[in-house]
Amino acid sequence: MRAKIRSTCAETNQGTCGVMELNSREGYQYKQWAASLFGCSFLLSEDVVEAFSLIESCDSPSFRKQDPYQESAVPDSSKHKRFDLGLEDVLIPHVDAGKGAKHPGIFLIHGPDEHRHREEEERLRNKIRADHEKALEEAKEKLKKSREEIRAEIQTEKNKVVQEMKIREKKPLPAVPIPNLIGTHGGDPEDNDLREKREKIKEMMKHAWDNYRIYGWGHNELRPIARKGHSTNIFGTSQMGATIVDALDTLYIMGLHDEFRDGQKWIENNLDFSVNSEVSVFEVNIRFIGGLLAAYYLSGEEIFKIKAVQLAEKLLPAFNTPTGIPWAMVNLKSGVGRNWGWASAGSSILAEFGTLHMEFVHLSYLTGNPIYYKKVMHIRKLLQKMDRPNGLYPNYLNPRTGRWGQYHTSVGGLGDSFYEYLLKAWLMSDKTDHEARKMYDDAVEAIEKHLIRKSRGGLTFIGEWKNGHLEKKMGHLACFAGGMFVLGADGSRMDKAGHYLELGAEIARTCHESYDRTALKLGPESFKFDGAVEAVAVRQAEKYYILRPEVIETYWYLWRFTHDPRYREWGWEAALAIEKYCRVSGGFSGVKDVYSSTPTHDDVQQSFFLAETLKYLYLLFSGDDLLPLDHWVFNTEAHPLPVLHLANTTLSRNPAVR
Ligand code: DMJ
C-alpha cells in the first residue's frame, strides 16, 4: 500500500516528506534516503510518522524547513522532481538555483549552484544503489539461516536500537538562561499549631504515596480499597505512572526527598512515550508536561526536561487539523487524532485546546524551538477572529470547520481553565502579554454580566449558559474561579482590584457553603440555586466528591492575597473531613454521596489529589515565601512554573509580547 509519509530525524531535528510503499523494501530505502539528507545515521521507525490523515502536515510551512526561524526556508512544493531508481515515488525537492531563492544555501539538500545539486543527486543514486544491492545480499544470506538464528539477530538489533535511544536521551538540550527560581524551599511556619497542621498534610501525602508505591506503582492511579492499579481512558491503555509524574513537585516542596528520587528513577527507566496508546492531549499536557516541567525547574534534573520535550513532540500531530485547533485525543505512536464522541458534533473543547499555553511557551523557551509557541498562538489568533455570542466563548469548537458547536458556556467543566490560562499567560510573561490580559478582561466582563448572579439567600454563584438560558447550577470545578478573580485583581481594568477581591471572596464563601451544607463537610460535584434550594446538589448523580482541589485552591489564593484567617480555618475543616471520610488503610478514596453520613467509597485515588489538593493544603499552612506568586505561576494541575522574562529571547519577537 502506498502512503504519503513524513519523517523527522530525532538526532538533527530535520524533516521531509515522501511517498513510500509501506512494509516493503522501498520503506527501508526511503528511510536511508531521508536519513542521508539529514546527516542521521539511520532513521528509526519512531522517526517516521506514518499518517494518512496527516498528509496535510507535509505541506505545512513548519515542516520542511531547515531553520525553523526562517519562514522563507520552505521549498516550493510544486518543484518536486521524481527520482527514478526503483524508488520512483520518492520525491526529491528540486530548487532552481538563483530563481527567487531568497536565502540560498539554507535548503536541505541544494546549495546555490545547480551543478553541486546534480553531483549530490548522483551521489545519492549511487549510495542507494549500493545499499539496495547490499540489502539483497543480506536477504539471501538470511534465508540460509534458521528461524532461531534470525530471531536472535533481530533481538540483538532491537537491543542495539534501545541502547542507542538511551544514549540519545541523555544528550542535553541547548542551555537557556534559567529564570530566577525563588522560594523553592522553606515556608516553615513560626507558629506551633500551624507547623502541626502542615506536618499532618505531609503525613497524608506520605500515606497516599506509600500506598500507591506498594499497590499501584507504575500504574496511572490507585484503587486504595482493592489495593491495585487503576486507570481511565484519559491516560490511554498504557501504564504511564500518572500519579508519579503528577506528585513529584508536591513531594519536592514537602521535602520528601527519598520518595522524589524513587519517582525520578521510575521515570528515567520506565516512562516511555513510544506506545500505541491514545491519550487525552489536555490531561497529558497539564499532568505530565506540567508535572515534568515543574519537577525540572524545582530540582534542576535534566531528565524531566528531556521527557517533557519527548512527550510534547508526540502531542504535536494532534494539531494537524484543517484549522490547527487540536484534536482532544492523539495516538502517541501513529499520531492519529480524534475527538470525544460525546462532544457536540465532533467538536474540540474550549477548556482542552485552551489549556496548553503555559506549558507550550515553556517548551519553546527551554528548547529554543518556536513550534510549541506557534501552535498555541495560532489557537489564540483564531479565537480572536471569531464572533462570540454575548461576548461569551462557547465550550465547543469544530476543528474541521472552525465553527462553534452548541452555544454552551461554562466557567466550570469544559470552559474553566481556558479563562485561567488567559490570565496566567499574562502573569507568566511578567505581565507583558497584554493581548492575553485583554482577552481575559473581556471574557470576565461577559461572564459577570451573563453568568454571575446572587441567590435569594445572598450567595454569589456562577451559572451555566445554555442556548440563551441561564442554568442556576454551579460545579465544584467552577469554584476555582474565586482564586482566579483574586489572582487577576491586580492589573484589572479601571482599577477594579477591590471589586475582584470581593468577588473572589464571595465565590469562596458560596463554595464553602456547598461543603458546610453536607453531612460529610465535603462539597458535591455540582449544586443548585433553585427556589428554596441553595448550594445543595439535587440529583443523586451530582452528590459525589472525588478528592477534587478547586475549593481548597480558592482558599489558598484568598489566604495569600488577604491573610484573612477564615481561609485557613475552612481549609483545615476540609482537610479533617478528607482525613475522616476519605482515608482508608490503602490510601485515599472519593465518596459517592456527601449527604450520607455513612460514606460509600468510589475506590479511586485520583492523581490530582497528590498534585493539587494536598499541595494547596500544604501551601495554605506554609509561609508566603514558599513559591511566592510574583515568581511562580501554577498551571491548572497546580504545577508551579516560573515567570519568564522574555525580553531578548526569540519569543519576544511576537507582537503579543512587548
Ligand atoms: C484537574 O485535573 C485540573 O485542575 C483541571 O483543570 C480540572 N480538574 C481536575 C481536578 O478536579
Side-chain angles (χ1 to χ4, degrees):
M1 183 194 297
R2 267 174 212 286
K4 192 169 180 182
I5 64 162
R6 63 194 186 97
S7 45
T8 309
C9 168
E11 282 172 72
T12 60
N13 205 21
Q14 292 182 346
T16 191
C17 280
V19 176
M20 76 176 212
E21 202 79 48
L22 286 180
N23 304 323
S24 72
R25 182 160 297 285
E26 272 77 11
Y28 172 78
Q29 286 171 330
Y30 172 88
K31 283 192 205 170
Q32 278 190 314
W33 167 76
S36 71
L37 290 184
F38 306 145
C40 229
S41 20
F42 189 81
L43 285 189
L44 301 170
S45 297
E46 283 79 1
D47 296 324
V48 177
V49 184
E50 303 163 357
F52 306 100
S53 62
L54 293 178
I55 285 174
E56 321 88 78
S57 75
C58 291
D59 301 316
S60 97
S62 61
F63 197 61
R64 261 171 280 110
K65 292 177 302 190
Q66 184 179 26
D67 175 358
Y69 293 90
Q70 306 276 342
E71 284 299 332
S72 47
V74 187
D76 179 347
S77 61
S78 64
K79 291 173 185 161
H80 282 98
K81 192 175 153 189
R82 290 196 172 228
F83 192 41
D84 189 9
L85 212 144
L87 281 173
E88 67 281 3
D89 284 326
V90 170
L91 297 171
I92 299 284
H94 174 82
V95 173
D96 294 332
K99 283 184 210 160
K102 275 195 206 150
H103 296 272
I106 58 173
F107 295 118
L108 283 177
I109 63 165
H110 6 264
D113 74 57
E114 214 170 332
H115 174 67
R116 250 187 55 207
H117 176 52
R118 269 202 223 99
E119 274 181 2
E120 181 69 0
E121 262 193 27
E122 194 48 39
R123 196 185 64 75
L124 277 173
R125 271 175 214 273
N126 290 337
K127 185 171 184 312
I128 292 171
R129 191 175 287 130
D131 289 343
H132 191 79
E133 275 158 17
K134 193 170 153 223
L136 271 176
E137 275 314 305
E138 279 172 10
K140 276 187 208 155
E141 280 305 304
K142 273 234 157 81
L143 286 174
K144 290 181 196 157
K145 292 182 182 165
S146 72
R147 239 164 222 257
E148 285 64 38
E149 278 174 310
I150 294 174
R151 261 199 211 121
E153 270 180 22
I154 292 174
Q155 195 48 51
T156 318
E157 245 343 272
K158 273 190 183 170
N159 294 344
K160 219 173 98 193
V161 171
V162 170
Q163 264 322 100
E164 279 168 10
M165 279 176 74
K166 279 203 172 148
I167 293 168
R168 230 173 36 188
E169 276 183 14
K170 294 220 169 94
K171 224 164 68 182
L173 290 163
V176 287
I178 290 295
N180 218 358
L181 302 177
I182 288 174
T184 56
H185 297 91
D188 304 327
E190 281 155 24
D191 182 292
N192 235 347
D193 172 58
L194 272 182
R195 211 169 307 129
E196 273 169 26
K197 285 180 173 143
R198 196 165 95 135
E199 273 310 300
K200 177 65 202 164
I201 305 298
K202 184 170 168 180
E203 185 279 326
M204 289 166 78
M205 177 71 183
K206 218 170 136 38
H207 181 68
W209 174 265
D210 287 348
N211 279 289
Y212 167 76
R213 179 85 179 81
I214 300 169
Y215 303 115
W217 196 233
H219 288 267
N220 290 314
E221 291 175 322
L222 168 71
R223 282 201 180 282
I225 296 170
R227 298 181 182 225
K228 59 179 190 180
H230 169 260
S231 197
T232 61
N233 60 350
I234 59 172
F235 302 120
T237 46
S238 100
Q239 290 187 21
M240 302 220 301
T243 297
I244 301 175
V245 183
D246 233 3
L248 279 174
D249 52 8
T250 309
L251 294 171
Y252 188 91
I253 64 165
M254 289 184 177
L256 292 166
H257 298 304
D258 291 344
E259 291 77 0
F260 180 86
R261 260 189 304 275
D262 278 354
Q264 179 176 345
K265 253 184 245 147
W266 187 89
I267 287 171
E268 269 166 5
N269 298 325
N270 303 286
L271 188 56
D272 176 18
F273 304 118
S274 312
V275 286
N276 183 9
S277 180
E278 191 182 54
V279 300
S280 154
V281 174
F282 158 76
E283 296 287 358
V284 157
N285 175 58
I286 64 168
R287 300 189 201 214
F288 283 77
I289 297 188
L292 289 164
L293 290 177
Y296 165 67
Y297 282 119
L298 290 173
S299 70
E301 294 287 347
E302 281 284 310
I303 183 68
F304 298 128
K305 178 168 73 167
I306 290 170
K307 290 284 178 187
V309 175
Q310 280 175 1
L311 176 55
E313 279 168 11
K314 297 280 182 185
L315 296 188
L316 286 178
F319 291 80
N320 295 324
T321 63
T323 57
I325 294 292
W327 299 114
M329 285 171 284
V330 71
N331 183 303
L332 293 176
K333 192 160 202 123
S334 67
V336 174
R338 69 182 173 103
N339 274 346
W340 305 110
W342 50 263
S344 178
S347 289
S348 298
I349 291 161
L350 184 68
E352 297 200 333
F353 64 77
T355 309
L356 303 166
H357 193 95
M358 291 181 68
E359 296 79 3
F360 275 45
V361 169
H362 272 276
L363 287 165
S364 279
Y365 179 79
L366 289 172
T367 59
N369 183 351
I371 184 130
Y372 307 104
Y373 182 70
K374 284 184 179 172
K375 296 287 178 200
V376 288
M377 287 307 283
H378 175 81
I379 298 176
R380 182 191 284 182
K381 295 287 162 211
L382 195 134
L383 287 175
Q384 279 178 329
K385 277 190 224 141
M386 296 189 65
D387 278 343
R388 282 176 286 133
N390 289 316
L392 296 169
Y393 288 90
N395 289 337
Y396 300 106
L397 179 58
N398 191 312
R400 293 180 205 274
T401 62
R403 294 206 192 97
W404 297 120
Q406 284 166 312
Y407 279 5
H408 290 184
T409 297
S410 154
V411 180
L414 308 180
D416 48 8
S417 41
F418 162 69
Y419 306 101
E420 178 185 350
Y421 270 36
L422 291 177
L423 174 64
K424 290 182 175 176
W426 174 69
L427 289 168
M428 204 183 78
S429 68
D430 200 19
K431 302 187 181 172
T432 56
D433 185 351
H434 301 296
E435 193 176 76
R437 176 77 216 203
K438 182 183 178 312
M439 287 173 80
Y440 171 77
D441 286 336
D442 289 345
V444 167
E445 263 174 34
I447 287 166
E448 269 206 87
K449 190 165 170 201
H450 298 287
L451 268 56
I452 298 188
R453 297 284 180 272
K454 218 179 221 1
S455 72
R456 281 194 208 158
L459 293 178
T460 302
F461 66 93
I462 314 177
E464 299 193 359
W465 187 258
K466 293 201 169 154
N467 298 321
H469 164 79
L470 182 70
E471 207 178 326
K472 294 178 179 169
K473 185 173 108 176
M474 182 167 174
H476 192 287
L477 289 166
C479 286
F480 93 94
M484 179 178 76
F485 292 140
V486 167
L487 186 63
D490 187 25
S492 59
R493 260 179 210 161
M494 295 180 293
D495 199 18
K496 283 170 78 182
H499 166 73
Y500 286 112
L501 279 174
E502 217 169 281
L503 182 59
E506 283 180 28
I507 299 295
R509 183 163 81 93
T510 301
C511 293
H512 176 253
E513 284 302 315
S514 79
Y515 274 49
D516 208 40
R517 296 176 187 196
T518 70
L520 305 188
K521 304 291 174 205
L522 291 169
E525 179 67 4
S526 97
F527 41 93
K528 286 238 156 92
F529 296 86
D530 214 354
V533 175
E534 298 221 335
V536 171
V538 178
R539 291 174 48 217
Q540 191 56 37
E542 292 169 345
K543 294 182 178 171
Y544 60 86
Y545 172 68
I546 55 168
L547 304 170
R548 283 198 194 280
E550 292 76 16
V551 176
I552 294 167
E553 172 183 352
T554 276
Y555 295 161
W556 175 60
Y557 279 107
L558 259 302
W559 164 255
R560 277 273 170 114
F561 284 94
T562 67
H563 282 177
D564 182 335
R566 92 174 62 173
Y567 299 112
R568 277 187 163 161
E569 281 160 28
W570 290 354
W572 188 239
E573 278 170 17
L576 290 180
I578 291 172
E579 175 72 1
K580 186 163 177 195
Y581 299 113
C582 301
R583 187 175 182 134
V584 292
S585 58
F588 286 89
S589 161
V591 291
K592 290 185 179 165
D593 184 350
V594 289
Y595 299 96
S596 153
S597 45
T598 46
T600 315
H601 292 114
D602 67 6
D603 198 12
V604 180
Q605 179 176 285
Q606 307 274 351
S607 78
F608 54 67
F609 178 62
L610 294 88
E612 298 191 74
T613 314
L614 292 173
K615 185 187 286 133
Y616 286 130
L617 279 170
Y618 186 79
L619 289 170
L620 185 61
F621 301 111
S622 298
D624 295 359
D625 55 325
L626 180 58
L627 299 173
L629 285 172
D630 43 354
H631 290 278
W632 296 90
V633 186
F634 287 69
N635 89 340
T636 191
E637 188 78 1
H639 296 305
L641 300 175
V643 167
L644 292 178
H645 302 275
L646 298 174
N648 303 327
T649 71
T650 47
L651 298 181
S652 67
R653 283 186 215 150
N654 192 289
V657 178
R658 271 186 260 272

